Amino acid sequence: MSRTNRRVYAGVAAGAALTLALTGCGVGGDGGADSGGSGTDGKIAGKITFQTWNLKGGYEKYFDGLIDAFEKKHPGTTVKWVDQPAEGYQDKLSADAAGGNLPDVVDMGPEAAYTLAGAGMLLNVAEDDPEAEEGYLPTAWDAMTFDGIDGGTYGYPWYLNTGPSFFNTDLFEKCGLDPEKLPETYDELFDQAAVMSENCGDEGISMIGRMPTIETFGMYGAELMNGDGTEFTFNDAKGVELVERYQALYEDSGLTEESLNALQTGELDSFKSGQLGWLPGSSYTLSDLKKTAPDVAKTVEMGPLIANTAPNMYLESLVVNSESENTATAKAFARFATDPKNQLAFAKEASVFPSTAGTLDDPYFTEDDGTDEGRLRTEAAAQVGEAVVWWPPAFSGGPDVENLREQIAGALLGKKTAKEALDDAVDYSNDRLAKQ
């Protein structure tokens, strides 16, 4: 699923996922977590509204089948499916919540859920449906558990996404690097980026296409927050070291001026134009490259996501409106949509990964079919077992993201030291957090 901000999922432009072809739905209600089981109190009946984020235009058949199966399983229920466009989605969520118009079941990530949970708008499923936890991967469940609020869990984990690194091997050869020795750690990445810059920088070629994000700090080894999730701490020694590596690269022309402002879409465009050596990707980056940049796709070799610690992954969940007039049906539907059978079906349709316990053991994720796509899928699925949702839910996708980028850009331009830049970024984010 393509998203704005971080939901672009590591390099896919908005809308790319909607080009995926739909085949059979495969939805049903008899797998894994028992929707409407002992963790769902009250009568499952009546009407609810289910809202997704930029999923119409490609997945109608899947969701129509999902809803039909739920309504057959629970006679007397009606699920109205609505979908909102990617642009301005989080602002709309906030406006709907403030106006008392939040749908019963809503698709959102940890960041948006954190804000609404702090305002008391989301159901604490750990408290209200405690048996649900055992049905999901611990890392996914933990990503929806907010220590900075009350330690509650505010959503049923839905789909995950992660992916490998993509390397332009033609550029490696052209710029004096060995395409058989692709970087796997940040030390290796920065060392090879320096070589690429020295040999090809005057042609506008670089290894890295944009500034570090909050996830980068986590993968590099910085401590992003204190233990109880009440303060940001990514201005520690490892965080400063990361920014200093970027400073050194920029001074040696290993980062272009454009990269100081580039977002994920700009990074993707640079890779597609053959000017970038490394692209952190997702599970559907390869198909996008083959379709929109076939000449570059022929040069691509995949490798692990660059990380000194655990690789990053992204998560979407289904949350339940705490003020729903039909909580029992809302919970039942959220459990149903995120049960193992339905998560597996959706993962196959959308090139994502399920968050339910044990589902990644399905042969679809473990057996390489000999295609590039099969290799990508199996390697990325294996990576999910090690991955972490590094984005702290309390870190705003708007103000905090922009401020961090501006502070790091200031350090690269020599306006402040790396430590001063991160101190300012942390102070800003902590001030915002304290006011929430």
Side-chain angles (χ1 to χ4, degrees):
M1 268 41 48
S2 49
R3 300 288 188 253
T4 55
N5 294 329
R6 73 187 180 94
R7 302 292 193 269
V8 179
Y9 285 121
V12 180
L18 298 184
T19 64
L20 295 173
L22 269 172
T23 55
C25 288
V27 296
D30 298 320
D34 180 15
S35 55
S38 58
T40 307
D41 301 322
K43 184 178 180 181
I44 301 173
K47 181 178 180 179
I48 62 168
T49 300
F50 164 51
Q51 178 172 290
T52 54
W53 182 5
N54 200 29
L55 295 180
K56 277 197 174 178
Y59 299 102
E60 285 90 346
K61 186 175 180 181
Y62 172 81
F63 285 109
D64 287 345
L66 178 76
I67 290 168
D68 286 347
F70 177 78
E71 292 175 348
K72 288 178 181 177
K73 184 177 179 67
H74 298 288
T77 60
T78 301
V79 179
K80 178 184 178 182
W81 175 36
V82 298
D83 186 73
Q84 298 295 336
E87 188 67 28
Y89 185 70
Q90 293 195 38
D91 291 339
K92 179 167 176 51
L93 289 178
S94 298
D96 286 347
N101 298 316
L102 194 69
D104 301 281
V105 179
V106 188
D107 162 19
M108 67 180 71
E111 172 206 328
Y114 185 92
T115 300
L116 295 182
M121 297 301 301
L122 303 184
L123 189 72
N124 181 350
V125 297
E127 180 179 276
D128 200 81
D129 193 2
E131 293 182 2
E133 179 177 0
E134 65 186 26
Y136 302 92
L137 295 171
T139 51
W141 187 263
D142 290 347
M144 294 303 297
T145 300
F146 303 146
D147 293 335
I149 298 177
D150 59 5
T153 305
Y154 288 91
Y156 295 94
W158 192 15
Y159 62 85
L160 311 171
N161 212 341
T162 187
S165 292
F166 293 84
F167 298 96
N168 184 323
T169 57
D170 280 2
L171 291 186
F172 271 61
E173 292 180 353
K174 176 179 180 177
C175 301
L177 293 168
D178 186 351
E180 299 297 322
K181 296 181 180 179
L182 300 174
E184 296 185 6
T185 67
Y186 279 101
D187 283 342
E188 293 171 352
L189 178 68
F190 282 114
D191 288 346
Q192 294 192 30
V195 173
M196 183 170 285
S197 172
E198 180 179 356
N199 294 332
C200 296
D202 58 353
E203 300 178 45
I205 293 171
S206 59
M207 179 74 79
I208 298 172
R210 68 184 174 103
M211 307 282 275
T213 59
I214 192 66
E215 308 100 307
T216 315
F217 284 85
M219 290 188 287
Y220 191 80
E223 292 291 334
L224 302 183
M225 299 194 79
N226 61 6
D228 56 8
T230 57
E231 290 186 347
F232 292 101
T233 58
F234 54 86
N235 57 339
D236 63 4
K238 294 300 289 186
V240 172
E241 180 181 292
L242 174 62
V243 176
E244 289 174 342
R245 296 301 299 262
Y246 274 86
Q247 283 179 309
L249 193 62
Y250 183 73
E251 290 170 3
D252 292 336
S253 301
L255 283 170
T256 65
E257 194 79 27
E258 292 77 15
S259 67
L260 300 188
N261 297 304
L263 301 177
Q264 287 149 317
T265 50
E267 179 185 43
L268 179 63
D269 290 342
S270 294
F271 191 84
K272 288 180 177 181
S273 68
Q275 294 296 106
L276 196 64
W278 167 63
L279 178 71
S282 75
S283 58
Y284 39 69
T285 300
L286 182 62
S287 60
D288 180 56
L289 290 174
K290 286 184 174 182
K291 180 177 180 179
T292 61
D295 290 341
V296 171
K298 293 175 183 176
T299 76
V300 162
E301 181 57 56
M302 295 180 289
L305 195 62
I306 303 294
N308 294 346
T309 56
N312 183 63
M313 69 178 178
Y314 297 102
L315 168 74
E316 285 293 300
S317 64
L318 295 184
V319 306
V320 175
N321 181 354
S322 64
E323 298 183 354
S324 170
E325 296 180 357
N326 199 345
T327 303
T329 303
K331 286 191 298 183
F333 181 77
R335 285 287 298 272
F336 180 82
T338 63
D339 75 15
K341 184 174 182 180
N342 289 323
Q343 286 218 31
L344 177 61
F346 189 61
K348 290 180 178 181
E349 298 294 340
S351 296
V352 292
F353 300 97
S355 65
T356 40
T359 311
L360 286 169
D361 294 332
D362 187 272
Y364 180 74
F365 299 110
T366 61
E367 297 179 3
D368 186 345
D369 60 9
T371 64
D372 290 339
E373 290 75 13
R375 177 190 163 197
L376 185 155
R377 181 175 63 249
T378 55
E379 291 185 1
Q383 185 170 284
V384 168
E386 306 171 3
V388 171
V389 181
W390 279 115
W391 187 292
F395 193 78
S396 164
D400 288 334
V401 166
E402 182 61 18
N403 182 65
L404 177 60
R405 187 198 61 76
E406 290 178 356
Q407 296 300 338
I408 297 174
L412 269 60
L413 293 170
K415 297 178 180 179
K416 55 182 68 178
T417 67
K419 184 66 165 66
E420 289 169 343
L422 290 187
D423 285 347
D424 289 346
V426 164
D427 287 345
Y428 177 87
S429 294
N430 282 337
D431 285 346
R432 289 193 73 258
L433 185 60
K435 295 174 182 177
Q436 290 184 1

